[in-house]
């Protein structure tokens, strides 16, 4: 399951879909498995197309989202018993966000892009 979102819907994706439970429909492990599958599929795609900077950027966004979710899961444990691991995950997110590499997340923001009609479920627009 590979989910691509325009900048306007990105906020919705992060704040509403990446809580510790996804509307009580999906368990954390199910979401992490879907993210791992997405990461695997994007890596396979990139192996076939090595010069795809946008694909690398998509991969970096998925990595950041996964680290963010794992960090939140660590923080949700009693008495913040896994705080150190959460900090490592959040540091990874910051590293991905601050990167100046050509394939960085930062280089995909505010790019000229066109909305693809019909890509989002109308009930969420």
């Amino acid at each position: 399951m590979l989910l691509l979102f325009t900048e306007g819907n990105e906020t919705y994706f992060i704040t509403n879909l990446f809580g510790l439970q996804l509307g009580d429909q999906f368990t954390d492990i199910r979401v992490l498995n879907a993210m791992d599958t997405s990461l695997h599929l994007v890596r396979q795609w990139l192996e076939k197309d090595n010069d795809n900077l946008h694909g690398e950027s998509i991969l970096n966004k998925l990595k950041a989202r996964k680290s963010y979710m794992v960090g939140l899961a660590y923080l949700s444990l009693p008495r913040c018993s896994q705080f150190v691991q959460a900090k490592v995950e959040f540091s990874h997110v910051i590293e991905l966000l601050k990167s100046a590499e050509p394939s960085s997340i930062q280089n995909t923001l505010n790019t000229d892009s066109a909305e693809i009609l019909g890509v989002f479920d109308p009930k969420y627009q």
Side-chain angles (χ1 to χ4, degrees):
M1 168 182 14
L2 177 61
L3 302 172
L4 302 177
F5 293 86
T6 61
E7 190 174 334
N9 287 324
E10 196 132 23
T11 301
Y12 174 82
F13 181 72
I14 292 170
T15 58
N16 292 330
L17 289 183
F18 277 87
L20 294 178
Q21 287 287 342
L22 296 178
D24 295 327
Q25 294 177 327
F26 305 102
T27 61
D28 295 346
I29 195 68
R30 187 170 170 196
V31 173
L32 287 172
N33 285 340
M35 293 183 91
D36 284 337
T37 300
S38 297
L39 287 164
H40 176 73
L41 292 172
V42 171
R43 284 185 186 111
Q44 283 184 330
W45 172 51
L46 289 173
E47 285 177 8
K48 296 176 186 173
D49 186 5
N50 293 333
D51 296 328
N52 191 328
L53 290 179
H54 294 294
E56 288 287 336
S57 298
I58 291 169
L59 185 66
N60 287 333
K61 284 183 176 187
L62 287 170
K63 287 177 184 178
R65 288 185 174 124
K66 181 180 177 187
S67 288
Y68 180 71
M69 182 176 174
V70 170
L72 289 176
Y74 281 138
L75 287 178
S76 72
L77 296 174
R79 294 180 284 168
C80 288
S81 60
Q82 300 297 319
F83 179 78
V84 173
Q85 288 85 345
K87 191 174 177 181
V88 168
E89 293 296 334
F90 294 139
S91 295
H92 186 236
V93 172
I94 290 169
E95 179 184 309
L96 287 167
L97 291 173
K98 287 186 173 183
S99 172
E101 295 291 321
S103 63
S104 71
I105 294 171
Q106 191 174 30
N107 288 336
T108 65
L109 302 177
N110 299 321
T111 59
D112 294 330
S113 60
E115 183 177 350
I116 301 171
L117 298 176
V119 73
F120 296 108
D121 188 336
K123 69 181 178 182
Y124 293 113
Q125 290 186 359

